[in-house]
Amino acid sequence: MRKGRFVRRELSPALPPPVAASGPLRWLRTRLFAGPVSTVLTLASLLVLWLIVPPLVTFLVIDAVWSGEGREACLAETAGRPVGACWPFIAAKLGQLIYGFYPAGERWRVDLVFATAFALLVPLLVPPAPFKRLNAALFFVAFPLAAYVLLVGGWFGLAVVETRAWGGLLVTLVVAVTGIVASLPLGILLALGRRSDLPAVRWLSVAFIEFWRGVPLITVLFFATYMLPLFLPGSWSIDNLLRALIGVAVFAAAYMAEVVRGGLQGVPQAQYEGATALGLRPWQTMALVVLPQALKLVIPGIVNTFIGLFKDTTLVMIVAIFDLLGQLRAAFADPSWASPSTLYTGFAFTGLIYFAFCFGMSRYAHFIERRLKAGR
Amino acid sequence: MAPKIETTRHPIAIEIEGLDKWFGGFHVLRGIDFTVKRGERIVICGPSGSGKSTLIRCINRLETFERGRIIVDGIELNDDMQHIDEIRREVGMVFQQFNLFPHLTVLENCTLAPVWVRKLPRREADSIAMHYLERVRIPEQAHKFPGQLSGGQQQRVAIARALCMNPRIMLFDEPTSALDPEMVKEVLDTMVQLARDGMTMLVVSHEMGFAREVADRVVFMDSGQIIEAAPPEAFFATPQHERTRAFLAQVLR
């Protein structure tokens, strides 16, 4: 070899990586007890779990009362032991919690709407399921009309059920689904309007967004319910639930608009130029190139808004619409079920329902995000 | 099969007269007069900020200009949206950063504009796209996403995507500047092939080897003006302007 020069004679073969020690013990050591800080955090977490989980299980399951006909069953004196959740209370009030005061003989209509929604929504959310376009058309166009006819009645010999009688989970879902389905397209339009080159469109969008974001939802609902009728001619009457629906949808749309705007700002100018140079019109560029990327960027924010909206629906209680939580509070007033654990049982049950819906949305969004990321 | 490049329609591909453009108060293009004949290959070089990218971006209206005229294939470029649409359909463009659509597959990138702008049926658009992907030698990547390809492959997809619109003129805005050195050649080879097929090309590039090999004329720009334009042999052997000489001394070390 000459000085200052190196020439490799043979290339080294690629070797498999050295076998790392594995197994549960190693996992414990590296993940839970890697150092003093990690050890302290692990122990603190265990302490918190120990403080929360056993009492919860005791209340919900071990000490719970599972059958009975009235408050006596859920009293410690009659049971002769400490009493946890009073599940017979939920069983007795389940109809009220789901349907509100929807007439018992007509509740099959609500069931049918729930079942149809479920049957249409599941294949829509499962990516490999076929006929997505037909499915979407059915869910977003045909289903709302059918649901309206079924729930309100007045056609095909169905008795009219006024929205005043609606309540419980039915109202929660009607308000939430309408809000979710209406707020996304409305929010997209507002976000695009805010970035428009036309000053009038831009200013109107900004004013709309800032106004609805600036007032509390309770004010909106209050205004819509109690103040609006004072300004409208006497013969005009808009259904109370419909007013709340519009209020919630518009409110959520203003938030959604800002989320979408964030996504639009995340799409580089180069994407517009690439599409424009190919001859795509501005609206085609927006719909085919920019929006798909922008919405993908802000899936977490969109779902965040959906979840917030879902829980905000409880505020309709303030304008005498009895959603799930409203019906629960009405059920508390029943003296035949008054017991020390009734309140906790009721809130635990409705809490679990809200959690199931919100957690479901969150997990689904996570799944879609990962799916969109794969392959890129 | 995709139609052949049409070479007979208008003898002058691009005519630029007295073009002036400002970015705010900055005079970025100053009185550009320039004509490109059909089938001509032009390489534009010059220091950064000299206005060369801005010049070719004016041709398909990615940039507007304040004064002067641009006529592409006999179509006057003005505020008339119909004219702009027509010109964009005639003129393909390849960017430094590829500007592929990351949410679409390679094939979908290539068929988007043919389907939505030219209103071709999907099957026909697919077969045209595959034809050009074969020509840039990456048909096997058709169903991957741009992010899964190397820079050189992405740029070749971008060339195929532009060709799918069957343009008569191709603009290249520093097509190899963002590439790793070992990928420059595969892109230049594709461009050489395109030049041999008779495409009218305007290439903003510092690849002097490419200029020597395929250019009919090399244009040197500085401070928003054309300083010198000549066939490559003359341009490289006997540059006339001192700025050209200074620039060449920098790039041809």
Side-chain angles (χ1 to χ4, degrees), chain A residues 269-284 287-293 296 372 374-376, chain B residues 57 60 62 81 85 88 91 93 95 99-104 109 112-113 116-117 119 145 147-148 161-162 165:
Chain A
Q269 188 64 27
Q271 291 291 308
Y272 293 86
E273 290 182 355
T276 305
L278 283 169
L280 290 169
R281 293 287 174 81
W283 71 266
Q284 292 173 324
L288 301 168
V289 175
V290 178
L291 266 181
Q293 297 183 55
K296 197 183 106 184
L372 288 175
R376 235 131 286 199
Chain B
R57 286 160 60 88
N60 66 350
L62 287 184
M81 255 334 273
D85 279 345
R88 283 182 182 153
V91 178
M93 188 162 195
F95 299 84
N99 297 17
L100 293 176
F101 308 133
H103 63 300
L104 301 178
N109 263 278
L112 188 73
W116 288 90
V117 179
K119 313 285 179 202
F145 287 95
Q148 296 169 298
R161 180 176 75 172
M165 287 297 281

Side-chain angles (χ1 to χ4, degrees), chain B residues 104-132:
Chain B
L104 301 178
T105 62
V106 163
L107 186 65
E108 288 164 343
N109 263 278
C110 291
T111 55
L112 188 73
V115 167
W116 288 90
V117 179
R118 284 201 182 274
K119 313 285 179 202
L120 292 185
R122 163 108 20 218
R123 291 176 126 238
E124 198 182 334
D126 279 352
S127 81
I128 291 174
M130 286 313 294
H131 168 81
Y132 284 113

Side-chain angles (χ1 to χ4, degrees), chain A residues 35-240:
Chain A
V37 178
S38 155
T39 306
V40 168
L41 288 177
T42 302
L43 292 178
S45 308
L46 285 175
L47 180 69
V48 169
L49 284 179
W50 185 70
L51 286 175
I52 292 175
V53 174
L56 205 62
V57 173
T58 309
F59 177 82
L60 290 177
V61 183
I62 297 171
D63 284 351
V65 175
W66 296 92
S67 60
E69 293 302 320
R71 63 186 291 268
E72 284 74 24
C74 296
L75 294 175
E77 300 90 81
T78 27
R81 62 180 174 91
V83 164
C86 180
W87 294 122
F89 164 69
I90 298 296
K93 299 292 182 188
L94 197 59
Q96 188 186 348
L97 292 179
I98 294 177
Y99 308 98
F101 303 113
Y102 212 90
E106 306 289 338
R107 286 181 180 175
W108 62 270
R109 285 153 57 174
V110 180
D111 293 337
L112 187 58
V113 168
F114 283 166
T116 318
F118 188 77
L120 286 174
L121 193 58
V122 168
L124 195 62
L125 295 183
V126 176
F131 308 119
K132 276 284 179 292
R133 269 181 203 199
L134 175 69
N135 197 333
L138 283 175
F139 184 76
F140 289 108
V141 181
F143 170 69
L145 294 174
Y148 179 82
V149 170
L150 267 170
L151 292 176
V152 176
W155 285 277
F156 312 115
L158 292 171
V160 175
V161 179
E162 291 202 38
T163 56
R164 246 177 305 165
W166 300 18
L169 189 62
L170 169 63
V171 160
T172 296
L173 288 179
V174 164
V175 176
V177 171
T178 314
I180 285 172
V181 171
S183 68
L184 187 57
L186 212 59
I188 292 173
L189 285 180
L190 284 168
L192 295 179
R194 191 161 187 166
R195 288 166 61 94
S196 167
D197 290 332
L198 307 170
V201 174
R202 190 168 62 242
W203 292 335
L204 278 176
S205 306
V206 171
F208 189 94
I209 292 168
E210 296 302 340
F211 175 79
W212 292 105
R213 279 203 313 166
V215 291
L217 181 55
I218 290 188
T219 315
V220 175
L221 293 173
F222 234 82
F223 186 85
T225 306
Y226 299 115
M227 306 286 283
L228 209 57
L230 301 179
F231 298 105
L232 294 176
S235 57
W236 280 35
S237 87
I238 309 173
D239 183 85
N240 198 17

Side-chain angles (χ1 to χ4, degrees), chain A residues 25-39:
Chain A
L25 268 177
R26 185 187 147 78
W27 185 85
L28 275 179
R29 202 155 41 86
T30 54
R31 299 297 173 90
L32 298 181
F33 301 102
V37 178
S38 155
T39 306

Side-chain angles (χ1 to χ4, degrees), chain A residues 5 56 130 142 185 194 333 337 342 375:
Chain A
R5 165 179 263 200
L56 205 62
R194 191 161 187 166
W337 282 101
T342 305

